[in-house]
Amino acid sequence: MIIAIHSRDVTAEEALAEALGREISLDEGLTTEPGGTVVAQSNRLDHYTDEDETWSSATWADHLADPSLEHPLASGPDGDRRAILHVTAHMHPLDRELNHAEWSEIGYRIARVAGIAPPGDDQACQWIAVQAQPGRLDVIANLIRLDGTWSAQPRRLLQTLVAEARNIEADLLLHSSHRQDSARQDPAPGLGHVVFPRVPTATGPLAGILRQLAAEQSGPIAAVRQLVEEVGRQAASLPGDQTDAAARDLFWAARRLYGLQEQLGEIASRVQPPAPPAALAPARPVQARAASRVAVR
């Protein structure tokens, strides 16, 4: 799972349009029913809507922007008024298809660790989790709480979300939770620190070299993937449509590299030579047993 934090905005229109993969509209309804597009939402949503009412995507965008209009003086610690937070979780391309409840759990967990939905807090932020594109979940929130204060987020938000993504992968048995990584888990700081092993000449060393290449954190492909992810995060934090498009392309490139690592690991398991059969204990010589019987007599 790859986590991306987009640059904040004053409205939710662009974030929701990107989550849907199309422009928002007054004619397109987004439901919260099982199988619907909105898989999770803030716990006070029933105060704003009727059970039988289906909101359009434009209405959802207005709903997310409402706290900014109701509390025009609220701002972040740095005085920033851009209150719309947009977090995207990209699933691994080899992950199984998730059901509505699983997408919902991912949305709630991202919202909790991001500080926008503390458990039991009736004055927390307004937010929704949108699952409209394959292998992708978007969490969109207004950082201005219902009481007019700014939401307290983790100091290292991205690192916190990445750590929770690893927990989600393990809990939901997603693809990366089954990785077999016998290499060091020290993150590679750059390509200059990667040691490329020599090409092996037997199937045993061949499997070993493939496992090193497939190592999630310390292999040479991992170093490239981590650099691509980091550049993607930096691009996503910059203003402009072109940088947003570049960030999306970089995240997809990182996912393809991740898939390559998985494929190499699977090949390594196929070329690993079988373990040699257990050695049998040597039989005692017949003469020795006969001598033993004579000695007993």
Side-chain angles (χ1 to χ4, degrees):
M1 183 186 302
I2 297 177
I3 298 293
I5 302 177
H6 303 258
S7 54
R8 296 209 309 267
D9 205 344
V10 293
T11 69
E13 294 177 359
E14 289 190 12
L16 186 52
E18 183 171 344
L20 295 172
R22 55 188 177 274
E23 294 297 323
I24 63 174
S25 169
L26 286 170
D27 300 323
E28 178 188 16
L30 304 181
T31 69
T32 59
E33 299 297 321
T37 305
V38 179
V39 297
Q41 67 280 327
S42 46
N43 58 5
R44 288 176 59 88
L45 183 64
D46 55 348
H47 289 256
Y48 300 92
T49 182
D50 191 295
E51 285 186 2
D52 299 327
E53 183 180 6
T54 298
W55 283 2
S56 68
S57 56
T59 304
W60 280 110
D62 290 341
H63 171 71
L64 291 170
D66 280 346
S68 298
L69 300 177
E70 296 172 1
H71 305 284
L73 300 181
S75 62
D78 55 357
D80 195 344
R81 283 273 300 152
R82 295 175 298 173
I84 299 300
L85 174 70
H86 182 192
V87 176
T88 300
H90 296 277
M91 301 298 110
H92 188 278
L94 299 180
D95 271 335
R96 60 181 173 82
E97 185 175 347
L98 303 181
N99 59 39
H100 181 89
E102 290 171 322
W103 283 119
S104 179
E105 179 177 351
I106 295 173
Y108 280 112
R109 291 177 65 164
I110 289 176
R112 283 197 296 269
V113 301
I116 59 179
D121 189 346
D122 289 337
Q123 298 299 311
C125 303
Q126 291 181 182
W127 64 276
I128 60 173
V130 176
Q131 205 287 298
Q133 302 185 57
R136 169 176 175 158
L137 183 74
D138 292 80
V139 176
I140 307 171
N142 193 312
L143 295 178
I144 301 175
R145 293 161 43 86
L146 297 182
D147 58 11
T149 61
W150 197 272
S151 173
Q153 293 188 281
R155 182 172 176 271
R156 303 179 66 184
L157 177 59
L158 180 58
Q159 290 84 345
T160 301
L161 289 171
V162 169
E164 182 63 14
R166 297 295 172 261
N167 294 333
I168 292 171
E169 290 168 350
D171 293 342
L172 297 185
L173 301 178
L174 298 181
H175 193 77
S176 59
S177 66
H178 300 288
R179 303 185 63 85
Q180 297 297 319
D181 188 355
S182 60
R184 294 183 304 106
Q185 294 301 308
D186 300 327
L191 289 178
H193 296 267
V194 177
V195 178
F196 292 85
R198 294 182 295 111
V199 177
T201 57
T203 56
L206 177 61
I209 188 65
L210 289 175
R211 281 195 294 269
Q212 291 181 47
L213 289 173
E216 182 176 2
Q217 296 294 335
S218 60
I221 298 178
V224 176
R225 176 175 58 81
Q226 291 162 4
L227 290 175
V228 171
E229 290 177 359
E230 180 59 31
V231 175
R233 295 186 190 103
Q234 294 179 12
S237 66
L238 298 175
D241 295 337
Q242 293 299 322
T243 53
D244 282 345
R248 289 194 297 271
D249 291 341
L250 287 167
F251 287 131
W252 278 111
R255 291 185 67 189
R256 291 195 293 272
L257 288 170
Y258 194 86
L260 175 60
Q261 289 177 266
E262 287 288 343
Q263 185 177 12
L264 290 175
E266 293 168 359
I267 295 173
S269 64
R270 295 202 301 268
V271 301
Q272 177 69 34
L280 298 176
R284 296 180 64 185
V286 175
Q287 292 181 352
R289 289 199 297 270
S292 177
R293 287 196 297 270
V294 172
V296 171
R297 290 196 187 104

